[in-house]
Amino acid sequence: MALGWWRRKHASASDIEPADGGTASRAPVSVALPRAAVILLGFAGAVVVMFGLAAARSVVAPAFLALVLTICVHPVRIGLVRRGVPVGLATGAAIVAVFALLAGFVATLVFALAQFTTLLPEYAPQIQAAGADLSDALESLGIGAQQAQTIVDGLEPSRIIDVVGTVLGGVAGITFSLVVILTLLILMAMDGTYGPAILAQMRPRRPALVDALVLYTRNVRRYMVVTTGLGVAQGVLNWIALLILQVPGALLWGVLSFICSFIPNIGYFIAIVPPLVFGLLSGGWPVFIAVLLVYGVVNAVVQSIVQPKVVGGAVRLSETITFVSVLFWALVVGPIGAVLAVPLTLLVRAVLLDADPSLAWWRPATGDVEETKGIAAELSARARAEAKADRAARPPRGRAARASRP
């Protein structure tokens, strides 16, 4: 309605009344909105969508988790069908496999969390003593006694248990919705049998959208499968190292390391803090330094060397966008949003950019810089050549100038 008023206001007189008195038909005149108005409307629509997702996070989170799991197990079902297994049996086998993995993960998480709740009271005196030392240090820095006491109160064992239970429970709570996830897995797996036919039916009309969806499923599958495998390896290595160092709660910290392997950039810092604290309480500074070295080496090898080579170009998101996406999706969808931040961001890019060929030039701004690297190298070489020529053209100074005088 407002858009129609704006168009009528800015239309010319010849657009409003035909020259022949209204009897002749004329083609409608389309008036484009100013770019600023388009940008503001786009941001407004995005805000509305995000608030809607946040309001429906209890449905959105398990639904998207089921979608990602369905994408990951789809090749298993296809492989069984190609080997002669009936379609229904192959679909059921894939669903049972995923459900068993989820159940095993939940059981391990519950056991580790129960171990932590019984372990923390044993170190309550050490934690309280560390809190008293921290309070004295804060007061020596000029912080008031009341503010320092407020900070120290957060180190109470009961509050730590509540915080850890809330964080891990937020991740496990999605998994505990087994009825919803299992139902969605069954329905999505059944609908997935028609996936290739649906895409083939859509391709004549929307080829770019079909290509974007196919590329998205391939990239998400590769990222999730590789990250899961490397996360298991990382968690097991950290667990064994913590057992050798006799750090309390080694199993819990190994599970936490596995979960945090899905959180780019900041997952490592979340996973390392608890074992550092308990290593310091149980073995002093030598164990603290050993835990720091072990986690640093394992994380550097797995996430900085192995994962980029194995995943390859499946993600191609800039570090800034990846970091912001973790914070953004955790705010919108909840704790599981931090774990699924990369698949969610890839889905947004696939729908908004990849599905529209006219917007492909935006991909380098999101992190797809394969072609940009060559351009950057050329610009760098040109800048060095121009700087060298500029230095050669400058008049000699100092001793060189005096030497050049007759």
Side-chain angles (χ1 to χ4, degrees):
M1 182 176 180
L3 181 59
W5 171 85
W6 187 91
R7 288 180 174 176
R8 290 194 301 270
K9 179 180 178 181
H10 291 271
S12 62
S14 59
D15 294 332
I16 297 175
E17 293 184 3
D20 57 357
T23 58
S25 61
R26 62 179 178 84
V29 178
S30 60
V31 181
L33 289 174
R35 182 177 297 274
V38 174
I39 294 175
L40 290 176
L41 289 175
F43 275 114
V47 170
V48 172
V49 171
M50 293 304 107
F51 270 97
L53 291 177
R57 66 172 61 180
S58 59
V59 176
V60 173
F64 190 77
L65 178 59
L67 175 62
V68 171
L69 294 175
T70 304
I71 292 173
C72 292
V73 302
H74 183 71
V76 176
R77 186 183 64 82
I78 295 297
L80 292 176
V81 171
R82 290 177 178 176
R83 286 171 173 79
V85 179
V87 176
L89 186 59
T91 303
I95 294 173
V96 170
V98 174
F99 191 71
L101 291 175
L102 288 175
F105 171 71
V106 171
T108 304
L109 186 62
V110 170
F111 175 77
L113 187 58
Q115 180 187 13
F116 176 71
T117 55
T118 58
L119 173 68
L120 190 60
E122 298 179 7
Y123 290 88
Q126 292 91 326
I127 295 176
Q128 292 175 353
D133 295 338
L134 178 61
S135 177
D136 296 337
L138 293 176
E139 292 182 11
S140 64
L141 294 176
I143 299 177
Q146 184 176 0
Q147 290 81 0
Q149 187 61 37
T150 302
I151 297 174
V152 172
D153 288 342
L155 299 177
E156 289 292 331
S158 59
R159 294 193 178 185
I160 296 176
I161 292 177
D162 293 339
V163 170
V164 174
T166 301
V167 173
L168 296 180
V171 178
I174 297 297
T175 312
F176 272 123
S177 304
L178 295 180
V179 175
V180 177
I181 294 178
L182 179 60
T183 303
L184 288 172
L185 279 173
I186 295 174
L187 297 177
M188 289 182 181
M190 294 174 60
D191 293 337
T193 58
Y194 298 100
I198 294 175
L199 293 178
Q201 188 177 8
M202 292 172 55
R203 184 174 292 277
R205 292 181 175 272
R206 295 289 186 271
L209 177 60
V210 172
D211 293 338
L213 294 177
V214 172
L215 181 62
Y216 170 75
T217 57
R218 187 184 302 120
N219 290 341
V220 166
R221 184 183 305 117
R222 187 174 183 180
Y223 170 78
M224 292 299 295
V225 172
V226 171
T227 303
T228 300
L230 294 179
V232 171
Q234 186 174 347
V236 170
L237 290 175
N238 290 333
W239 172 50
I240 294 174
L242 295 177
L243 284 178
I244 296 175
L245 296 173
Q246 297 182 353
V247 176
L251 178 60
L252 175 61
W253 313 135
V255 174
L256 181 63
S257 177
F258 166 73
I259 296 174
C260 292
S261 65
F262 291 91
I263 306 177
N265 299 326
I266 62 176
Y268 166 76
F269 300 99
I270 297 175
I272 197 176
V273 171
L276 283 178
V277 173
F278 279 88
L280 180 62
L281 294 177
S282 62
W285 288 106
V287 177
F288 180 92
I289 296 174
V291 172
L292 187 63
L293 291 176
V294 168
Y295 268 68
V297 171
V298 172
N299 179 78
V301 172
V302 173
Q303 294 192 359
S304 301
I305 299 177
V306 178
Q307 187 173 15
K309 291 184 178 181
V310 178
V311 175
V315 178
R316 291 185 179 178
L317 292 174
S318 66
E319 295 296 330
T320 303
I321 292 179
T322 303
F323 179 77
V324 173
S325 67
V326 173
L327 304 178
F328 177 78
W329 291 114
L331 177 65
V332 174
V333 187
I336 195 65
V339 177
L340 298 176
V342 172
L344 283 166
T345 305
L346 290 178
L347 179 61
V348 173
R349 187 174 69 178
V351 173
L352 297 183
L353 297 185
D354 298 342
D356 190 351
S358 64
L359 298 177
W361 57 277
W362 274 100
R363 280 188 63 90
T366 64
D368 189 2
V369 293
E370 288 300 318
E371 297 181 2
T372 310
K373 291 179 180 178
I375 299 176
E378 294 178 2
L379 293 177
S380 179
R382 185 184 304 174
R384 289 194 299 267
E386 291 177 354
K388 184 177 180 180
D390 183 63
R391 288 194 301 268
R394 291 176 183 174
R397 296 181 180 179
R399 185 178 301 175
R402 291 193 296 268
S404 62
R405 292 175 184 174

